[in-house]
Amino acid sequence: MNKHCSLKENLTKFGQQHLLQYWNELNEKERCLLMKDIEELNLDEVNEFFERATSSLEDGSAKLDDKMKPIPDDNFLSVIEEDKKQLEFYNQEGLRQIACGTVGVLLMAGGQGTRLGFAHPKGMYNVGLPSNKSLFRIQAERILKLQNLARESSNKNGHIIWYIMTSEHTMEPTKKYFEQNNYFGLQANNILMFEQGSLPCYDFNGKILLDEKHRIAKAPDGNGGLYRALRDSGILDDMERRGVLYLHAHSVDNILIKVADPVFIGYCVTQKADCAAKVVEKSHSNEAVGVVCQVDGKYQVVEYSEITQKTAELRKPDGRLVFSAGNICNHFFTSTFLRKIGSSFERKLKLHVAKKKIPFIDHTGSRCCPDIPNGIKIEKFVFDVFEFAENFVTFEVSRDEEFSALKNMDSAGKDCASTARTDIYRLHKKYLQAAGGIVEGLECEISPLLSYAGEGLQEIARDKKFVSPVHLISDKENDIND
């Protein structure tokens, strides 16, 4: 039996034989590309995905109000309210773990900067700070500084291993960007990049769409594709070889991210948590952000659309929202927990469905770009593993110190380059003032190589006046090429 007949027989079993309908029109190279696409499909699994996805669509209107409970006090810590000595204890424990080489970072960096009007990986985006540093460079320099702080704290020379999840379209430009910039001063062998997976796009009847006559229409499988990608790319095995026990996972587009935050790491290790979420207090009841809570006794993120207005507005006696723990895609995992997800629970993750306008090849062989949704894309979300945790904790931080998303062009007026710059300026001005300085004006940037989170600035700032624009750099700044 030739390859074509074998493929057709297998596809027919799953009702997807239409993928070969243009076979006779393809040249040899195109046939090879189509065969590769088809062979990469686990047809039994993708058919099951469609069935599960469409059933979730049918259940999508159900509200969760009666099943929800807020996070118990024993599983919740607020850095805003916690004793400073206790926070320093967690900080020292986090630095100790970093110095021992047990800490890694999982960066979700698969997205393009399309919504920013930027035709490159989002991590390469420059928001227009005085330093002109990209998101990747800012985060790399925070890792460098943190390694130095850990070394000074314990006299051990541990390294933070940086695992960067890219996508099919961002892998090569991201690798090239890091190479061209000498890995921003980090050791190249401590940075590992891997690709997230993709899932086929379907029409509303469960038929997989063709993007071209010889290519299947596919879309990234969402940030929840992290778990399968960690397993299949060998990253979990790498963690085991290196002795990495604890992972800080976050998205690339939060310019205020405290990469491998030692306070967060230390708290989670001390609490023996296997999974945790950083959250910020919702700004108001109608803020379009998911909240971390319990549903039927299990932790999960409930989207604002899944509850009624009445529940969203519930308040405690002190006036704060009952369901206030806003999710910001900022998590802690043990490597043991990630291994357990990869081996046992990954296939059980929820499937999130979006009806989309998906370009496709129609029955005449023409490529159509529809004006209305014609099919579905399926995604997995990183937070849907919370329910499988044996010891889950939540860590509330100050929004103005740790969360400023970058998602839109400046014309949107929020979550854009202008707001990211403003948030950095405000925070760094606050650092200088806390160190005893006086700052006139708004524009203020402090290099991560000089200070990770406001520490070590007293000698520079005490009783000194700074006039905007302020840009403070480290002596080591020129040792790292951009």
Side-chain angles (χ1 to χ4, degrees):
M1 183 184 293
N2 65 35
K3 193 70 172 177
H4 173 260
C5 292
S6 175
L7 278 177
K8 187 171 183 179
E9 182 179 309
N10 195 35
L11 287 168
T12 300
K13 283 194 298 186
F14 295 96
Q16 304 289 354
Q17 63 272 21
H18 64 283
L19 296 176
L20 294 174
Q21 62 187 309
Y22 301 108
W23 183 265
N24 292 333
E25 301 177 28
L26 306 180
N27 61 37
E28 195 59 34
K29 181 180 179 182
E30 290 171 337
R31 287 179 178 181
C32 288
L33 288 169
L34 181 57
M35 282 193 294
K36 182 176 181 291
D37 275 1
I38 293 171
E39 288 169 350
E40 287 176 353
L41 294 175
N42 179 333
L43 288 165
D44 186 45
E45 184 177 59
V46 297
N47 273 21
E48 177 204 343
F49 279 175
F50 179 79
E51 291 171 9
R52 285 174 54 201
T54 50
S55 67
S56 73
L57 274 177
E58 293 167 5
D59 298 338
S61 60
K63 299 296 182 182
L64 299 176
D65 303 56
D66 295 338
K67 301 178 180 181
M68 290 172 59
K69 289 185 178 179
I71 302 159
D73 290 344
D74 289 346
N75 297 73
F76 181 89
L77 178 137
S78 172
V79 300
I80 303 160
E81 299 174 357
E82 183 59 270
D83 178 74
K84 293 293 187 290
K85 288 184 179 179
Q86 189 62 39
L87 291 177
E88 181 54 28
F89 171 78
Y90 296 139
N91 182 58
Q92 288 302 316
E93 174 60 20
L95 290 174
R96 187 180 74 82
Q97 294 293 342
I98 290 168
C100 290
T102 64
V103 176
V105 170
L106 291 174
L107 176 63
M108 290 168 273
Q112 293 274 30
T114 310
R115 286 175 59 185
L116 303 172
F118 183 66
H120 304 282
K122 190 185 281 189
M124 292 167 56
Y125 191 74
N126 168 5
V127 302
L129 293 171
S131 65
N132 285 311
K133 291 176 181 177
S134 66
L135 295 174
F136 279 141
R137 176 159 186 171
I138 290 169
Q139 292 170 29
E141 291 185 356
R142 286 178 184 153
I143 290 174
L144 272 171
K145 180 62 175 178
L146 197 50
Q147 289 177 163
N148 290 336
L149 290 172
R151 188 179 304 117
E152 292 166 4
S153 176
S154 65
N155 291 319
K156 289 184 179 179
N157 193 25
H159 294 92
I160 295 167
I161 310 304
W162 203 7
Y163 299 104
I164 302 176
M165 185 173 75
T166 67
S167 63
E168 177 185 1
H169 300 294
T170 63
M171 172 62 95
E172 287 307 316
T174 300
K175 284 175 63 177
K176 186 175 180 181
Y177 183 68
F178 272 72
E179 290 166 1
Q180 290 173 337
N181 288 281
N182 298 321
Y183 300 92
F184 307 106
L186 293 166
Q187 294 182 17
N189 66 330
N190 289 332
I191 302 174
L192 283 81
M193 298 181 191
F194 62 103
E195 282 187 36
Q196 72 181 106
S198 61
L199 289 171
C201 303
Y202 306 81
D203 69 15
F204 293 126
N205 296 313
K207 302 295 184 185
I208 295 172
L209 295 170
L210 285 170
D211 184 54
E212 299 179 57
K213 291 180 181 179
H214 63 287
R215 298 310 304 257
I216 287 173
K218 295 182 289 186
D221 57 1
N223 55 24
L226 174 72
Y227 307 107
R228 177 172 295 203
L230 287 171
R231 180 194 69 201
D232 294 349
S233 64
I235 296 296
L236 292 179
D237 295 331
D238 183 83
M239 292 176 186
E240 189 172 326
R241 284 193 299 270
R242 293 175 185 261
V244 174
L245 304 177
Y246 310 111
L247 292 302
H248 180 210
H250 62 88
S251 56
V252 74
D253 57 3
N254 175 10
I255 199 167
L256 297 185
I257 189 74
K258 286 185 176 178
V259 186
D261 176 13
V263 182
F264 186 37
I265 299 290
Y267 171 68
C268 293
V269 170
T270 303
Q271 298 301 306
K272 294 181 169 58
D274 54 356
C275 179
K278 268 193 183 185
V279 297
V280 296
E281 184 175 8
K282 285 183 68 173
S283 58
H284 53 85
S285 62
N286 290 323
E287 184 180 8
V289 61
V291 294
V292 181
C293 61
Q294 287 187 324
V295 177
D296 287 336
K298 295 181 178 180
Y299 288 96
Q300 74 174 66
V301 173
V302 172
E303 300 294 349
Y304 58 94
S305 58
E306 295 178 305
I307 58 175
T308 63
Q309 183 70 24
K310 182 179 179 182
T311 296
E313 292 178 350
L314 287 175
R315 294 188 180 272
K316 301 174 185 177
D318 63 3
R320 297 176 67 182
L321 293 170
V322 170
F323 297 105
S324 64
N327 179 53
I328 56 172
C329 195
N330 193 324
H331 310 302
F332 167 93
F333 305 112
T334 64
S335 56
T336 302
F337 178 74
L338 291 174
R339 178 76 74 178
K340 182 173 72 172
I341 296 300
S343 62
S344 303
F345 297 112
E346 196 278 332
R347 284 195 63 163
K348 298 179 182 179
L349 289 182
K350 294 175 186 175
L351 299 174
H352 300 264
V353 181
K355 295 180 179 180
K356 294 286 188 178
K357 294 177 281 190
I358 305 168
F360 70 105
I361 302 296
D362 69 10
H363 66 281
T364 70
S366 302
R367 192 170 192 272
C368 299
C369 295
D371 296 324
I372 59 173
N374 64 308
I376 64 171
K377 292 182 179 181
I378 299 173
E379 286 187 310
K380 301 172 186 178
F381 290 168
V382 66
F383 53 71
D384 282 329
V385 297
F386 292 176
E387 64 174 298
F388 305 117
E390 293 180 14
N391 186 17
F392 179 86
V393 297
T394 312
F395 191 80
E396 184 187 62
V397 297
S398 173
R399 183 188 297 249
D400 65 356
E401 293 189 4
E402 297 204 34
F403 184 59
S404 178
L406 179 64
K407 298 185 181 299
N408 308 312
M409 288 191 281
D410 270 357
S411 56
K414 67 175 184 176
D415 296 341
C416 58
S418 291
T419 55
R421 285 196 304 273
T422 298
D423 290 340
I424 280 278
Y425 294 158
R426 185 187 301 116
L427 178 60
H428 288 189
K429 181 175 179 177
K430 179 178 174 180
Y431 286 164
L432 278 180
Q433 290 173 330
I438 298 170
V439 183
E440 289 188 358
L442 300 176
E443 189 174 308
C444 182
E445 181 187 4
I446 301 170
S447 168
L449 295 172
L450 185 63
S451 180
Y452 173 81
E455 79 294 329
L457 295 174
Q458 285 79 6
E459 187 175 332
I460 296 170
R462 186 180 294 116
D463 299 327
K464 292 182 182 176
K465 182 177 180 179
F466 300 87
V467 179
S468 177
V470 179
H471 182 204
L472 301 183
I473 64 173
S474 164
D475 293 338
K476 299 176 182 179
E477 201 82 11
N478 294 326
D479 296 338
I480 301 173
N481 296 321
D482 194 14

